Amino acid sequence: MLEVRNLSVRYGAYTALHGVNLTVNDGEIVVLLGANGAGKSSLFKTLSGLQRPSGGDAVYNGQPLTLGRPERCVALGVSQCPEGRMLFPQLSVEKNLRLGAYLHRRDSAGNQAELERIYALFPILHDKRADPAGSLSGGQQQMVAIGRALMARPKVLLLDEPSLGLAPLVVDQVFAAVQRVNEAGVSVLLAEQNAFAALGIAHRAYVMEGGHVTIEGSRDELLHDDRVRSAYLGV
Amino acid sequence: MLAFDDLGIRFGGNQAVQGVTGSIRPGVITAIIGPNGAGKSTFFNLLSGFYKPTSGKITFEGQDITKLPTHEVVALGVARTFQTTTIYKELSVLENAVLGHRVRTTSGLWDALLGTGRERREGRASEAAAMEALRRVGLETQAHTLAGSLTQEAQKRVSIALALATNPKVLLLDEPAAGINPEETVGLTRTIRELAAGGLTVVLIEHKMSMIMTLADHIMVLHHGQKIAEGTPQQVSRDPAVVEAYLGGHAAPHVREELKADLLGSAEVEGQHA
Amino acid sequence: KVVNIGYSGPLSGGAASYGKDCQSGILMAIDEINAAGGVTVKGEKVTFNLVSLDDRYLPNETATNVKRLTSQGISTIFVPHAGGILTVQPLTTRDPNFLLVAYSSEPKILQANNPMTLMLPPRYDNYVAPFVKQELTTFGKKLGLVGTTSAYGKAWADVVSAEWTKQGGTLGTDNGVDYGTTVDYSSAVTKALAEKPDVLFIGGPSQPTALVVKAAREQGFKGGFIVMDQAKFEQMNQVVPQSYLNGAVGVLPVAQFPGTQVFVNQYSRKYKKIPTSEAALNYMGMNIIAASMVAAGTTDDAVAIRAKVGAAAAALPRGKSIFSVKGVTAQGHVDADVLAAYLKDGTFTKLRLPATLLK
Amino acid sequence: MIIFFQQFLNALALGGAYSLVALGLTLVYGVMKIPNFAHGGLYMVGAYVTWALLTNLGVPYFLALGLSAVALGLVAVLLERLVFYPLRSAPHIHPMIAAIGVLFFLEAVIGHPQVFGADFKILASPINGIVNLGGVSITGQRLLIIGASVVVMLALFYFLKRTTTGATIEAMAQNREGARLVGINVSRVASLTFFISGALAAIAATLYAPTSLVSPSMGEVMNLKVFAIIVLGGMGSVPGAIVGAFLLAFAETFGGVFVGANFADVVGFAVLVIVLAIRPQGLFRRTA
Amino acid sequence: MTSAPARALPARALPTGWPWLIVFVLAALVPLLVKSGYVLDVAINVMIFSIAAYGMNVMLGYAGLLPLAHAGFFGIGAYTVGILTLKAGWSFWLAWPAGIAICAVLGLLLGLVAFRTRDDVFAIFTLGVGVIITQVINKWDALTGGNDGLNGIVAPKLLGIDFGKSASFYYLALFSLALTIFLVARVRASLFGRSLIAIRGGEDLARSAGINVYTHKLRVMMLSTALAGFAGGLYAVYIGFLGSAITGPTTTFTILLYLLVGGVGTLAGPLLGTLIIRVLQQSIQGLQDYQYIVFGPLLVLLVLFFPAGLAGVWAHLRGRRTAFEAGRPRGKEEQGKGVNDAGV
Ligand SMILES: Nc1ncnc2c1ncn2[C@@H]1O[C@H](COP(=O)(O)OP(=O)(O)OP(=O)(O)O)[C@@H](O)[C@H]1O
Ligand SMILES: Nc1ncnc2c1ncn2[C@@H]1O[C@H](COP(=O)(O)OP(=O)(O)OP(=O)(O)O)[C@@H](O)[C@H]1O
Ligand SMILES: [Mg+2]
Ligand SMILES: [Mg+2]
């Protein structure tokens, strides 16, 4: 279980997160909705160790995640597919994916199997495996980023706007893939603008505004919440 | 007005755009859709003179612009925005738009050094043109804010204002609504429609089908660098090749009038088979 | 009373070692004078203090330094490089006059006819004829040229070439390289040796010169060397075995001059290295200045001091002047005997310099 | 012909030394995007450390080579921690100026009379033999330079392309945050990269100094040349640094033959300017 | 090396010119109050080198291009004056503009080739050109005097004023500096200058906004090299002796240092930086062997703690009030970076 407790993040004088609380239970897909700048990415970066919080903490199964040390977070089983992808553009697609399994680098058989699973999930990556990641289109790069995060064999997968810039068909594929990953026992925390698709696969959801969590509830509760319907579903 | 014939470009072994022939008709909103990597952005880069095609030819109002450098293409009246919001974040909103108008001014280093009348005249004209562009995208009140401090959506508007300040005849928008929420998307859609109504020819790339379907008069579909379909939204969304390559399950509901209700419905349908 | 003496030279960067060598000679002279209780100028005991400023070999920095020194009331300034000297020469007679002690053998320094300059190093052209004669008769008629391409080096190469042909030898192409910036000399040496010379003209700062010797010997060169006076046997010896230098002509090491033992020993003890003429001539220069101040009866009237340098120099005991000084010419050049030597099997044979050229 | 081979060997040895120095520089540039103008300083300090080990402590040459490599590796790591790490997110003209400050500092410390002084030092050569191959002679030391530089280059290449640790260096070179996300400890990679660059500089200095002189300013000339080299090869490219090094060495050597030895330096930079005018991204960097 | 750190100047730099007026009036009083030749000499050197620093600033600070051949052009300007006055007997007042013009033309020629490269490669390319310029000056004995240098360049006279005197030369330098600052401020505020800032901020965007990036770069290069030549001409007559060392990369880096310490892209930065560093260097001369042991780390500390330069500190202090507003949502810089935008 991933627990975020009273987490705050500041960038200089600007506070991006004001004491956020949320939980992701084992096996759940939890969606985080929020406008631009609501603080979703800040939360994700803190959970994956890229950003140190200014207050509060987050623990995964009792172990702290908020030390600003990504390698520890990955080792604990929390792995992020970041906004902006952060690929290694001149390395081949396959090397990118393999580096995702950096912490498992001694288990080459396991990595091979994992790699195959990812190629099955995104067949186009198999075709492009020898190409430099930077030469792929935006959508294809997004797939590499998700694949790379999965290569770490996470127990909790943090996905920051995976559908950004993707074609509807691919969005479907990505969400279907997320679901499959989840069914295999991985918890997922998903930040999305594409509220429909996200809520479609979610168990629970939170809405963030201006660095605060303002609404939380099950998928159906949120689908029928008026505020959510007007602001995020455009209804 | 903007016509392209057998247009193609290859990067090393990768034929990103291939044999695309057609034209953009004046005064209408044309949308370009297609899967990721289909070559849409590359196609824009070709039209705007940013990349030089390895085959084919582009004409604008009858003039061959295939080999013209970007800034001359802009001078003829073709402006574009980038897929990634690209603006001068450290400059004010107004200054961004002023830079867009630079292509219509001629004062250079000597004017600057000597402080000529032309310099002063053009400086004033630029600011006026910039304000006008900001007004068209609804940012006139933010003119003196630092562009980088605006919201994502406002930054998209700044990038459009920058393009508008070049006094274009054709405006190429690459995913103007990416990364902004549905509420804001509606506002942006309205802005784009107003621009078109003002006589501007708009071409846009988008993945947000709701937006495309409400906005576009004409759609062109790219796949693997080639044009696989073209027509009105209704025609395209029923085209089996397009459905297979791009729309998937999203094809049916995206018909204008039924849009809102069906969208919610589709989410729930998806939720059920989860 | 403590009198400040100025010094502006390279104390950092590539030429720092040169600048410090020059500085060490002045310092040594000052230390000796002070240890002996100073000198008496007009009945007053005077000791000295050296104010050193770094100019990184840049003339504009020299100018700034000189202005700084004169504004502190300093009336004698040592500068050890031609660019700096030429730049500040016009300043010597403006507002405050000062005496410029120049360590550089650039002829233009004398051509300026500056009344306040005292130029220390001897003329190099005296060496040329005996050098050429020695090598031409010992090794053969073909001369290769791999000297440094500094202005001084080029001037040397020109006079050596002229003398060589005058005495009936033939010349190879000039393969001179800049000893200051070259990383690897073997290429230039290979090229020079391709013409099968009997003798090589070499020279620049001592250590790089030794590297040229090394490269030549390693590539199988068996002939002799004409070593320009900038390079010193005693320093080259530390880089290459003396056997490599067999058959070379060059300036006699300071230690081999008659009557320099005391200076050499004291210098070596003090600075843990062998003195070269950089140290020796500046040592001499400082001693001349001190003696001139005594003779002039003033420590700050530069013009009066300058008027006495000739007499003071000629009267200097050999232990203080190192070289046998005859006096100072009208242009301000210290006129001293120079000595050259031919190195063979570890012994230096002194060469006679033509008397006609000595002025 | 003999002349040609003689010059060829001259160029080979020079190129070997250049490439070792350039490799460290290009690695640091590739990974950290820092134009490390202190690199020539590391090279210079490496020569002095070896000199001190040989002369003052009587350590045998090859042991001194190893010790000096480790010592300079550590100095480079220290440099990274103290100067470049705090500047990691500054525009990279800042680290460049800081590096120049470090270069000043190193030169001043080494040249200080209480340390080594400004005088030239001579590094004794471990191998004194001269090999003569049909009129072409080459000293043992130069053969050693050529041999050792090839070995070091192969080892480095293997390390980068075939080991996971090597891959982390490349990954970090391309996206620092991305590397952190997959669990790579980027500070360690940064330290490692600097360590390698410092060690390579010391190895190059130890190998090359016996054919040359040791002085506090020896790094400055080297600095300009290795920068020219890595730009020639394509900044950050490892094969580029090697090719660039030999290209410059051959241009200087043979340029000297044809245009006059005095112009060798100009020829080197002229090659740089011409190559870049034709291939602006350098020889080995892929175009966007 | 594109991104200049400092915040952009407000677009209109001229109306806020009154502090400059005060500075220059005060500066004009100096020779009347201070009689020390040393102080005037330091001041004149500061002025000459800060003009060169302004020349570098229009490239680096405005257009984001790092020109490392700068001292080479400084040298070309200086040698042109030296050669024309000594060997061709020209008046300084003709030789000086001629030097500036030659620098501008050579700058244009260099630009035609150099602008094929970008970023760091551009910087090192120009560094290579700088080295070549120095070497040519050093080796072309017949024209430049080679290692001997050129000696005896005499200070000019005009309307009975002899600029050989420190005090009168001071006014010539001061006037030149004021003119330089006035001109670069004008350029910064002009449409041309604003386009340069756009190029610095992103070449691709500038191009698609219709700015002719290439010609803008060429022109700013000419301005930059002309200013270098302008400073070089002054240097030649002030020092009276020219050697090739001053035209080398060390001088370029020194000028860059002045600029960086003062604040890249600011109007006061080049002057401030030159002043501070030269005064600092003069005052640590007394440390003798320790001077660079102190100066090196000092540089590092300056860069670490004043990344925007000294002018930047001032701007920062003034900017405090608006910092809060400016801190509102930032864009997603990395988002959706495809290959075409990222320029991988
Ligand atoms: N500069 C380039 N160099 C090499 N390949 C490129 C370049 N630009 C684009 N490509 C390739 O061209 C193809 C088309 O890319 P493009 O960015 O045009 O796709 P797109 O349709 O805009 O996709 P998306 O919807 O994801 O933005 C991709 O395979 C991409 O890898
Ligand atoms: N490195 C940073 N420095 C300063 N401010 C930052 C930084 N990163 C984010 N911010 C600010 O923090 C706020 C929250 O940003 P964050 O990226 O977490 O939002 P988000 O919800 O992910 O938005 P989006 O939908 O745009 O991705 C924004 O106002 C942003 O400008
Ligand atoms: Mg985000
Ligand atoms: Mg695209």
Side-chain angles (χ1 to χ4, degrees):
Chain A
M1 187 175 73
L2 173 68
E3 263 188 287
V4 176
R5 299 186 296 217
N6 218 12
L7 195 71
S8 301
V9 170
R10 306 172 56 142
Y11 301 108
Y14 179 70
T15 307
L17 289 185
H18 302 267
V20 168
N21 287 295
L22 61 80
T23 25
V24 180
N25 295 312
D26 291 345
E28 264 186 339
I29 298 181
V30 175
V31 164
L32 202 54
L33 298 176
N36 291 110
K40 305 181 296 295
S41 300
S42 302
L43 176 64
F44 275 57
K45 279 195 220 154
T46 313
L47 294 182
S48 63
L50 286 180
Q51 172 73 42
R52 271 172 196 275
S54 57
D57 65 353
V59 294
Y60 179 64
N61 290 341
Q63 305 262 22
L65 288 175
T66 40
L67 304 171
R69 308 245 327 251
E71 66 276 10
R72 272 191 51 118
C73 299
V74 183
L76 287 174
V78 177
S79 159
Q80 183 186 202
C81 164
E83 186 176 59
R85 303 185 194 121
M86 300 180 184
L87 297 179
F88 312 121
Q90 276 143 46
L91 296 185
S92 68
V93 167
E94 179 147 336
K95 225 170 185 172
N96 266 277
L97 293 175
R98 284 191 181 278
L99 275 168
Y102 178 71
L103 290 177
H104 306 284
R105 56 190 176 279
R106 313 233 181 279
D107 174 19
S108 56
N111 289 341
Q112 190 59 40
E114 197 62 42
L115 190 64
E116 243 116 77
R117 214 165 314 158
I118 285 159
Y119 284 152
L121 210 55
F122 305 114
I124 182 75
L125 295 189
H126 189 257
D127 300 342
K128 300 228 167 206
R129 65 185 180 279
D131 292 5
S135 76
L136 270 53
S137 82
Q140 294 159 352
Q141 291 190 25
Q142 189 67 50
M143 298 176 202
V144 179
I146 297 173
R148 189 181 68 182
L150 287 173
M151 285 297 288
R153 307 183 209 168
K155 301 198 198 80
V156 180
L157 179 63
L158 308 175
L159 289 169
D160 195 355
E161 300 200 32
S163 73
L164 189 80
L166 295 196
L169 186 62
V170 186
V171 175
D172 284 354
Q173 286 170 6
V174 167
F175 282 103
V178 170
Q179 248 181 331
R180 251 178 293 152
V181 168
N182 174 249
E183 278 155 16
V186 179
S187 317
V188 175
L189 179 60
L190 173 70
E192 262 299 335
Q193 296 276 355
N194 189 341
F196 278 120
L199 286 176
I201 61 169
H203 297 111
R204 289 192 303 117
Y206 293 85
V207 173
M208 283 185 72
E209 279 163 21
H212 299 271
V213 169
T214 49
I215 307 175
E216 65 171 288
S218 71
R219 175 174 67 121
D220 290 336
E221 283 165 20
L222 263 79
L223 272 176
H224 295 104
D225 186 301
D226 284 344
R227 286 171 297 172
V228 175
R229 287 170 74 98
S230 76
Y232 299 100
L233 302 177
V235 181
Chain B
M1 72 194 308
L2 191 56
F4 30 93
D5 183 28
D6 190 32
L7 199 58
I9 187 172
R10 92 177 10 258
F11 298 106
N14 177 9
Q15 186 79 45
V17 171
Q18 194 173 1
V20 177
T21 302
S23 65
I24 304 296
R25 277 180 287 134
V28 300
I29 300 180
T30 307
I32 297 173
I33 60 172
N36 299 111
K40 304 181 296 295
S41 300
T42 309
F43 180 64
F44 261 27
N45 280 326
L46 289 171
L47 291 188
S48 59
F50 223 72
Y51 291 168
K52 296 291 160 246
T54 44
S55 66
K57 165 174 162 178
I58 310 167
T59 54
F60 180 64
E61 295 182 327
Q63 184 183 350
D64 187 347
I65 60 165
T66 319
K67 295 207 165 58
L68 286 190
T70 313
H71 62 94
E72 287 183 26
V73 176
V74 179
L76 287 176
V78 181
R80 60 90 59 95
T81 66
F82 289 85
Q83 181 165 356
T84 314
T85 315
T86 313
I87 55 171
Y88 296 111
K89 296 197 164 106
E90 72 282 13
L91 300 180
S92 74
V93 171
L94 179 66
E95 189 70 2
N96 269 278
V98 166
L99 288 169
H101 197 69
R102 174 69 174 137
V103 67
R104 301 290 162 214
T105 59
T106 52
S107 27
L109 178 56
W110 284 114
D111 299 284
L113 291 175
L114 303 176
T116 59
R118 175 164 67 176
E119 170 75 45
R120 285 194 297 275
R121 210 164 45 242
E122 289 190 342
R124 280 193 303 271
S126 294
E127 302 212 345
M131 276 317 283
E132 169 61 17
L134 293 183
R135 195 195 53 70
R136 286 166 82 184
V137 299
L139 278 178
E140 64 270 51
T141 54
Q142 317 260 43
H144 297 287
T145 332
L146 206 62
S149 68
L150 297 174
T151 64
Q152 184 70 18
E153 185 247 3
Q155 292 192 21
K156 292 265 180 196
R157 286 177 186 269
V158 174
S159 72
I160 297 174
L162 197 160
L164 284 177
T166 67
N167 294 354
K169 295 172 187 150
V170 180
L171 180 61
L172 311 176
L173 302 171
D174 196 346
E175 299 200 28
I180 65 175
N181 67 32
E183 216 175 354
E184 294 165 336
T185 305
V186 173
L188 196 63
T189 308
R190 193 181 315 122
T191 303
I192 294 174
R193 187 168 305 115
E194 282 165 14
L195 291 176
L200 192 64
T201 306
V202 176
V203 188
L204 79 161
I205 296 175
E206 247 322 322
H207 287 304
K208 289 196 171 162
M209 292 312 294
S210 53
M211 183 174 178
I212 297 285
M213 294 294 163
T214 52
L215 198 56
D217 302 307
H218 187 80
I219 296 182
M220 196 173 120
V221 189
L222 290 183
H223 185 42
H224 291 314
Q226 286 163 311
K227 189 168 81 179
I228 58 166
E230 192 169 15
T232 63
Q234 284 79 0
Q235 285 165 348
V236 165
S237 63
R238 295 201 183 90
D239 187 317
V242 179
V243 172
E244 203 212 326
Y246 185 62
L247 293 173
H250 290 263
H254 287 292
V255 184
R256 281 185 197 178
E257 287 69 33
E258 309 138 36
L259 194 72
K260 281 185 183 173
D262 279 16
L263 271 177
L264 190 53
S266 90
E268 277 166 351
V269 169
E270 268 180 47
Q272 270 143 29
H273 67 70
Chain C
K1 175 177 157 191
V2 180
V3 170
N4 285 329
I5 302 290
Y7 172 80
S8 170
L11 297 173
S12 65
S17 116
Y18 170 78
K20 289 193 170 169
D21 276 350
C22 294
Q23 188 194 26
S24 70
I26 311 171
L27 274 175
M28 180 157 150
I30 288 180
D31 287 350
E32 280 178 13
I33 294 167
N34 291 352
V39 291
T40 312
V41 178
K42 238 184 179 178
E44 195 179 12
K45 270 289 172 201
V46 167
T47 57
F48 295 102
N49 171 46
L50 188 67
V51 181
S52 304
L53 295 176
D54 182 12
D55 61 22
R56 289 171 284 141
Y57 225 95
L58 296 173
N60 62 317
E61 301 293 334
T62 313
T64 303
N65 287 345
V66 160
K67 285 181 180 160
R68 177 165 170 169
L69 292 168
T70 52
S71 74
Q72 291 170 20
I74 291 176
S75 60
T76 304
I77 299 173
F78 285 74
V79 178
H81 55 103
I85 295 166
L86 291 170
T87 303
V88 301
Q89 268 184 329
L91 305 178
T92 55
T93 49
R94 283 201 211 141
D95 311 342
N97 292 329
F98 68 95
L99 182 54
L100 176 64
V101 187
Y103 180 74
S104 162
S105 38
E106 171 64 57
K108 285 187 188 157
I109 294 172
L110 297 177
Q111 281 160 24
N113 268 322
N114 182 282
M116 299 302 290
T117 303
L118 176 65
M119 177 162 142
L120 300 173
R123 300 173 55 106
Y124 61 87
D125 45 5
N126 296 0
Y127 297 113
V128 175
F131 276 14
V132 168
K133 183 154 171 261
Q134 176 71 38
E135 294 289 313
L136 195 75
T137 49
T138 317
F139 291 98
K141 288 203 175 309
K142 179 97 191 225
L143 179 70
L145 299 150
V146 205
T148 185
T149 52
S150 68
Y152 189 49
K154 283 181 186 161
W156 247 95
D158 288 345
V159 288
V160 166
S161 303
E163 185 67 26
W164 189 268
T165 37
K166 195 176 128 202
Q167 297 195 19
T170 52
L171 293 173
T173 45
D174 190 345
N175 286 301
V177 288
D178 187 343
Y179 284 23
T181 58
T182 301
V183 178
D184 185 7
Y185 298 93
S186 42
S187 161
V189 169
T190 303
K191 203 180 158 203
L193 293 186
E195 298 177 331
K196 307 236 172 300
D198 303 302
V199 179
L200 283 182
F201 166 71
I202 57 171
S206 307
Q207 292 84 352
T209 307
L211 289 182
V212 176
V213 170
K214 193 171 168 212
R217 292 298 189 217
E218 282 170 355
Q219 290 185 23
F221 177 64
K222 301 266 185 305
F225 295 103
I226 293 178
V227 185
M228 170 186 154
D229 64 344
Q230 192 182 353
K232 313 287 176 345
F233 277 123
E234 59 267 49
Q235 284 179 331
M236 290 197 284
N237 247 334
Q238 298 167 339
V239 182
V240 290
Q242 203 171 47
S243 62
Y244 278 27
L245 294 164
N246 218 4
V249 283
V251 269
L252 187 69
V254 170
Q256 307 268 336
F257 276 73
T260 57
Q261 277 322 308
V262 183
F263 168 73
V264 171
N265 289 342
Q266 281 178 354
Y267 186 91
S268 312
R269 208 171 313 128
K270 192 166 166 147
Y271 294 102
K272 309 273 177 296
K273 61 185 178 192
I274 307 166
T276 61
S277 55
E278 262 92 74
L281 284 166
N282 280 292
Y283 174 83
M284 172 186 82
M286 184 59 219
N287 279 316
I288 294 177
I289 295 299
S292 311
M293 286 181 174
V294 174
T298 169
T299 57
D300 44 43
D301 181 351
V303 177
I305 299 169
R306 171 68 180 78
K308 297 287 179 197
V309 288
L316 220 53
R318 191 60 187 273
K320 298 282 174 206
S321 70
I322 317 292
F323 308 90
S324 74
V325 181
K326 301 198 175 66
V328 175
T329 66
Q331 293 117 320
H333 192 193
V334 174
D335 192 1
D337 263 357
V338 288
L339 290 172
Y342 173 63
L343 177 61
K344 178 123 176 73
D345 301 330
T347 51
F348 290 95
T349 316
K350 283 177 199 150
L351 296 181
R352 277 170 49 87
L353 298 186
T356 48
L357 271 168
L358 289 175
K359 281 190 256 174
Chain D
M1 211 50 203
I2 287 182
I3 309 285
F4 175 81
F5 280 115
Q6 182 68 56
Q7 295 288 27
F8 188 82
L9 284 178
N10 292 341
L12 223 49
L14 188 62
Y18 280 168
S19 59
L20 289 181
V21 189
L23 276 176
L25 189 67
T26 211
L27 267 186
V28 165
Y29 184 83
V31 175
M32 322 279 294
K33 299 290 173 288
I34 297 170
N36 182 9
F37 272 89
H39 196 69
L42 297 176
Y43 169 79
M44 179 269 297
V45 177
Y48 275 94
V49 169
T50 307
W51 182 83
L53 288 170
L54 289 175
T55 328
N56 296 349
L57 302 176
V59 177
Y61 181 84
F62 288 98
L63 182 58
L65 178 98
L67 289 177
S68 172
V70 173
L72 264 292
L74 294 177
V75 171
V77 169
L78 201 66
L79 180 66
E80 195 268 335
R81 288 283 104 186
L82 291 181
V83 179
F84 296 128
Y85 182 75
L87 286 170
R88 64 194 175 284
S89 44
H92 70 323
I93 193 165
H94 287 74
M96 191 174 96
I97 289 292
I100 291 175
V102 172
L103 181 67
F104 283 160
F105 174 75
L106 292 177
E107 268 184 34
V109 168
I110 293 287
H112 193 274
Q114 307 297 307
V115 186
F116 288 104
D119 294 335
F120 288 107
K121 303 278 187 239
I122 316 296
L123 204 62
S125 172
I127 312 176
N128 277 317
I130 295 171
V131 185
N132 201 313
L133 313 153
V136 181
S137 62
I138 179 163
T139 58
Q141 185 67 31
R142 281 170 201 270
L143 279 180
L144 178 66
I145 295 171
I146 298 173
S149 57
V150 170
V151 170
V152 172
M153 280 184 265
L154 288 179
L156 185 69
F157 216 68
Y158 176 84
F159 171 73
L160 287 179
K161 292 294 168 192
R162 293 278 174 271
T163 66
T164 312
T165 315
T168 60
I169 292 189
E170 289 207 292
M172 183 167 152
Q174 298 178 20
N175 193 321
R176 201 184 170 102
E177 296 276 275
R180 293 184 69 197
L181 267 184
V182 299
I184 295 170
N185 185 335
V186 291
S187 324
R188 258 191 46 214
V189 176
S191 298
L192 180 69
T193 310
F194 265 88
F195 185 90
I196 294 175
S197 97
L200 285 175
I203 292 173
T206 309
L207 287 171
Y208 198 71
T211 71
S212 170
L213 294 165
V214 178
S215 74
S217 60
M218 69 190 278
E220 285 177 24
V221 180
M222 197 46 111
N223 242 352
L224 278 183
K225 304 216 162 169
V226 288
F227 267 97
I229 288 167
I230 70 166
V231 174
L232 258 180
M235 312 249 323
S237 158
V238 169
I242 296 170
V243 173
F246 284 98
L247 194 65
L248 186 73
F250 275 87
E252 286 186 356
T253 308
F254 286 96
V257 172
F258 296 116
V259 212
N262 193 22
F263 288 89
D265 286 340
V266 189
V267 171
F269 284 96
V271 167
L272 169 78
V273 165
I274 292 167
V275 169
L276 288 183
I278 298 166
R279 250 188 94 79
Q281 71 279 24
L283 292 171
F284 274 72
R285 200 152 68 161
R286 266 171 290 214
T287 22
Chain E
M1 306 187 186
T2 38
S3 45
R7 210 169 258 237
L9 279 172
R12 281 182 211 81
L14 286 184
T16 54
W18 60 267
W20 285 106
L21 207 63
I22 297 175
V23 168
F24 278 104
V25 167
L26 289 180
L29 297 177
V30 169
L32 307 178
L33 305 173
V34 185
K35 288 288 168 228
S36 158
Y38 168 59
V39 172
L40 291 185
D41 178 79
V42 171
I44 290 169
N45 269 294
V46 166
M47 293 191 278
I48 292 175
F49 282 96
S50 58
I51 293 174
Y54 277 103
M56 190 182 265
N57 196 31
V58 294
M59 279 283 273
L60 179 63
Y62 295 179
L65 301 157
L66 178 55
L68 293 181
H70 206 63
F73 286 99
F74 180 84
I76 291 173
Y79 270 89
T80 307
V81 167
I83 291 165
L84 289 180
T85 55
L86 285 179
K87 304 200 169 173
W90 286 34
S91 146
F92 169 74
W93 304 111
L94 285 178
W96 197 18
I100 297 168
I102 288 175
C103 281
V105 171
L106 291 178
L108 174 71
L109 294 179
L110 171 60
L112 287 174
V113 184
F115 290 132
R116 291 172 49 81
T117 62
R118 278 193 184 194
D119 303 342
D120 286 5
V121 180
F122 172 81
I124 305 282
F125 183 92
T126 51
L127 180 64
V129 172
V131 172
I132 292 175
I133 294 177
T134 309
Q135 296 275 341
V136 168
I137 289 178
N138 185 263
K139 306 217 150 128
W140 195 347
D141 290 15
L143 190 66
T144 64
N147 260 322
D148 277 357
L150 288 178
N151 187 30
I153 305 162
V154 283
K157 290 191 173 64
L158 189 72
L159 308 174
I161 307 167
D162 176 8
F163 289 104
K165 298 226 162 48
S166 291
S168 39
F169 199 92
Y170 179 95
Y171 286 109
L172 178 61
L174 188 67
F175 173 75
S176 305
L177 177 64
L179 182 66
T180 303
I181 294 177
F182 176 71
L183 289 179
V184 296
R186 262 199 166 168
V187 167
R188 174 59 189 89
S190 72
L191 285 170
F192 172 78
R194 291 149 90 173
S195 308
L196 294 179
I197 302 285
I199 292 170
R200 180 185 85 188
E203 242 176 67
D204 287 350
L205 179 54
R207 195 169 286 127
S208 70
I211 295 172
N212 188 343
V213 172
Y214 191 63
T215 58
H216 276 77
K217 280 184 177 177
L218 284 179
R219 291 197 188 133
V220 76
M221 178 81 139
M222 290 171 74
L223 177 63
S224 168
T225 54
L227 283 174
F230 186 60
L234 270 183
Y235 175 87
V237 282
Y238 180 61
I239 301 296
F241 172 86
L242 290 176
S244 63
I246 196 75
T247 70
T250 314
T251 309
T252 302
F253 282 112
T254 311
I255 295 171
L256 177 61
L257 177 69
Y258 298 154
L259 187 53
L260 211 76
V261 167
V264 179
T266 61
L267 196 57
L271 176 58
L272 212 56
T274 313
L275 182 71
I276 300 274
I277 292 289
R278 285 197 82 95
V279 169
L280 185 73
Q281 273 180 329
Q282 287 297 323
S283 41
I284 62 173
Q285 270 255 9
L287 298 174
Q288 301 279 334
D289 287 325
Y290 293 91
Q291 58 168 320
Y292 281 91
I293 297 184
V294 173
F295 186 64
L298 217 55
L299 262 189
V300 175
L301 293 178
L302 269 172
V303 168
L304 276 175
F305 296 107
F306 303 103
L310 298 168
V313 173
W314 169 239
H316 186 75
L317 290 177
R318 271 197 321 184
R320 262 282 150 75
R321 264 163 289 147
T322 56
F324 181 73
E325 303 152 53
R328 273 304 301 149
R330 301 194 334 159
K332 307 182 186 185
E333 274 149 43
E334 297 291 326
Q335 144 185 309
K337 262 197 176 175
V339 71
N340 10 8
D341 307 304
V344 181

